[in-house]
Amino acid sequence: MLAKQRPLDQAEEAATEAAALEASQGYLEPIEIIERAAAHDFAGALAAVSSFGADSAVLLHMISKVDPSLPVAFLDTGKHFGETLDYRDALVADFALRDIRIISPEENALARVDPDGTLHARDTNACCDVRKVEPMARAVAPFRAWLTGRKRFQAATRKNLAVYEPVGPRIRINPLARWTTADLAEYMRRHALRQNPLVAYGYLSIGCFPCTQPVKPGEDARSGRWAGQAKTECGIHLSGLEQSLTDASL
Ligand code: SF4
């Protein structure tokens, strides 16, 4: 007698859906991927997340062409460079984006674990948890999928990055995964997009000011993040977010 099949749970369903989307349309141009996600695959249940960092203008410009009312979440960690905040406001105006959602850490949690704002100097993982991972889980919880600007070239840890990734019960979409630095530069030039002013000072991947340094020629774009530490990601792209979403948002 055949064993009765267990129904798929939501994380398994998301993994199956992401694999099917990757196979059927992972090869499309980034703007086509965004169009399909917004109008078909995740219509009404799609957002984007942007750091307003070194390459963020490319994805945001494409979003503005597809649907400038798409929700765009920005995690305001309280530790951003002033230049990044100014750049965020300038790009929002340039592209007439209509639904920017600024997500901050929970005040009570900050008061408990980082009352003097120096946690980053003692425990970067704990600092990222309270300032990024938990707020990120809150930011994407209302949606079935979200767009990011991640690329394969940014770091060795991203070299196999898929366009469609399951994250717990949801799907993260990286339309620019296959793009190179040259592709990005050409797009920026063709559309005369404004650049984050920190790029001119060698910051090729831009996060919080205590944990971001300029990059030397030939190094990974993300090598200036948490330089000198084994840490390469803040956790919003790792299992901590998956766990948060699985625990908190269903
Ligand atoms: S990047 Fe640094 S300052 Fe920002 S949340 Fe993580 S540890 Fe804290």
Side-chain angles (χ1 to χ4, degrees):
M1 191 172 90
L2 286 175
K4 192 173 171 191
Q5 282 196 328
R6 177 178 64 86
L8 293 179
D9 69 23
Q10 287 172 307
E12 290 169 327
E13 282 179 6
T16 303
E17 186 177 9
L21 288 168
E22 186 74 24
S24 63
Q25 54 194 46
Y27 63 89
L28 293 175
E29 290 299 316
I31 192 133
E32 295 176 299
I33 290 167
I34 298 168
E35 283 167 350
R36 289 198 185 202
H40 180 255
D41 303 330
F42 303 101
L46 179 72
V49 176
S50 180
S51 64
F52 290 85
D55 307 316
S56 297
V58 173
L59 181 73
L60 293 168
H61 181 260
M62 290 179 183
I63 288 171
S64 74
K65 295 296 164 200
V66 172
D67 179 5
S69 66
L70 192 83
V72 176
F74 171 74
L75 304 184
D76 190 350
T77 63
K79 299 289 181 185
H80 282 296
F81 292 91
E83 287 89 339
T84 296
L85 302 180
D86 292 345
Y87 183 59
R88 174 196 67 195
D89 296 343
L91 281 191
V92 169
D94 286 351
F95 300 155
L97 297 170
R98 296 207 292 270
D99 190 359
I100 297 296
R101 302 186 181 189
I102 297 177
I103 314 290
S104 302
E106 279 185 343
E107 284 185 18
N108 288 345
L110 269 190
R112 195 172 61 250
V113 303
D114 193 11
D116 61 359
T118 61
L119 183 60
H120 62 84
R122 302 187 300 281
D123 187 341
T124 50
N125 288 332
C127 185
C128 280
D129 278 349
V130 71
R131 292 181 182 275
K132 289 188 170 180
V133 179
E134 187 283 328
M136 178 72 180
R138 241 185 307 128
V140 299
F143 304 99
R144 277 221 59 232
W146 67 96
L147 303 162
T148 85
R150 294 190 303 157
K151 277 82 59 181
R152 290 178 183 166
F153 76 80
Q154 287 175 308
T157 49
R158 294 185 179 179
K159 69 179 191 307
N160 297 317
L161 183 68
V163 172
Y164 297 92
E165 297 177 286
V167 182
R170 291 173 173 70
I171 293 181
R172 179 168 50 210
I173 308 171
N174 309 301
L176 300 169
R178 293 187 310 277
W179 271 32
T180 63
T181 353
D183 293 329
L184 295 164
E186 163 57 17
Y187 190 94
M188 297 275 293
R189 189 199 56 73
R190 186 159 20 107
H191 296 283
L193 303 186
R194 188 191 297 265
Q195 194 170 55
N196 187 313
L198 294 169
V199 173
Y201 297 99
Y203 292 88
L204 301 188
S205 176
I206 301 166
C208 299
F209 66 82
C211 303
T212 306
Q213 292 181 11
V215 170
K216 298 189 184 74
E219 290 181 341
D220 273 356
R222 285 181 63 82
S223 64
R225 306 288 293 277
W226 305 284
Q229 301 184 36
K231 186 177 173 72
T232 57
E233 300 274 2
C234 59
I236 61 173
H237 305 306
L238 300 176
S239 56
L241 176 63
E242 185 171 332
Q243 193 59 49
S244 300
L245 285 172
T246 303
D247 292 347
S249 61
L250 288 177

